[in-house]
Amino acid sequence: MLFSRWFHRAGRTTSTYRPTVCVLEDRIVPATYRHFGPPPPAPAPAVHLQVIVPTNIQEGKATTVTVEAENASNQVVTNFKGVVQITLGTADPDATLPASFTFAASDKGKHTFQVTFQTPGAQTLIATSGLIAGQTPLMVGSVVTHFGVYAGSQATAGYATLVQVVALDAHNNIAADYRGTVHFSNTDAFAPQLDDYTFQASDNGSHLFAVNFATPGQQTLITTDMANKSIVGGVNVNVSSPWYYLTYNGWGYHFWY
């Protein structure tokens, strides 16, 4: 409440004495007189939404997403009261998105949401409110849960067999960003031991290895992540004996060892 100080004199008169008393009174100043100068300008309206995401996003884990309502000067519009809807511009049918949200005065033009992506790779997150919108590209990292190990059903002892090792997530999607180190073990005690291998960016989550089995019979090749021993994979291979062809006295002979 705005007050102004007013002064007036109150006196009492006698034949010989005229005292004058100053009395201080508070009076309310009408609202008409309270403002000096022109009224403050109206805040600039929001013209777009800014979508902010963290740099490290992984599939299956909740991600905090911040949406800001901004004006043409990229300043946050603190009195924004729009209804915002979060959608995806890319296919991720198992993703968890928040319901539409109405900004309140307490948000001051900024609000955080929780989004859970389920498909690794490049994604686009979009925020819309009426005629204004905003979006941001992002990369969803894979969470490797196991290896896919693939080889032909038959191998020959003493000859190289190609084996493919693929880093996979829980949905059997290839984890193209996998950079872990793989260790090999083999039930064939006489087979040459493969060196550990660290996946490179150029592998895109998949690499071919040449494996030499030495003992005929069913053998198992197992791959294990060196940092996380729970990430494993394996393949069974039937290993046959090598055969040879010789000629003697005009006859041909096949034999195995």
Side-chain angles (χ1 to χ4, degrees), residues 40-251:
V47 297
H48 66 273
L49 299 176
Q50 180 72 21
V51 183
I52 304 170
V53 297
T55 56
N56 185 21
I57 301 174
Q58 288 189 316
E59 59 168 323
K61 295 184 178 181
T63 299
T64 299
V65 176
T66 301
V67 176
E68 294 181 352
E70 296 182 351
N71 59 26
S73 300
N74 295 324
Q75 298 172 327
V76 178
V77 180
T78 57
N79 65 342
F80 178 73
K81 302 294 192 304
V83 179
V84 172
Q85 180 69 51
I86 303 294
T87 58
L88 288 176
T90 46
D92 192 351
D94 297 320
T96 303
L97 301 175
S100 59
F101 177 81
T102 302
F103 274 57
S106 58
D107 292 311
K108 299 185 182 301
K110 180 189 302 185
H111 191 79
T112 57
F113 302 86
Q114 294 292 318
V115 177
T116 302
F117 300 92
Q118 296 292 355
T119 301
Q123 299 259 26
T124 301
L125 195 64
I126 302 171
T128 306
S129 179
L131 298 177
I132 67 174
Q135 65 180 35
T136 185
L138 54 94
M139 185 62 66
V140 180
S142 305
V143 178
V144 178
T145 59
H146 62 289
F147 293 118
V149 186
Y150 309 100
S153 59
Q154 192 72 32
T156 303
Y159 290 86
T161 299
L162 289 179
V163 175
Q164 184 182 26
V165 178
V166 183
L168 300 172
D169 65 7
H171 305 283
N172 287 324
N173 298 310
I174 297 177
D177 56 345
Y178 177 69
R179 301 293 183 272
T181 300
V182 175
H183 175 75
F184 297 88
S185 57
N186 197 332
T187 57
D188 188 345
F190 298 99
Q193 178 64 42
L194 286 175
D195 293 332
D196 295 344
Y197 178 79
T198 301
F199 274 62
Q200 307 299 312
S202 58
D203 291 319
N204 291 315
S206 176
H207 193 80
L208 279 174
F209 301 89
V211 180
N212 284 279
F213 295 96
T215 306
Q218 181 171 286
Q219 304 294 348
T220 302
L221 182 69
I222 300 172
T223 58
T224 306
D225 182 273
M226 292 293 290
N228 186 349
K229 298 298 192 295
S230 67
I231 303 175
V232 298
V235 63
N236 295 322
V237 179
N238 292 317
V239 181
S240 62
S241 299
W243 58 268
Y244 298 92
Y245 180 80
L246 293 177
T247 59
Y248 180 75
N249 291 333
W251 291 85

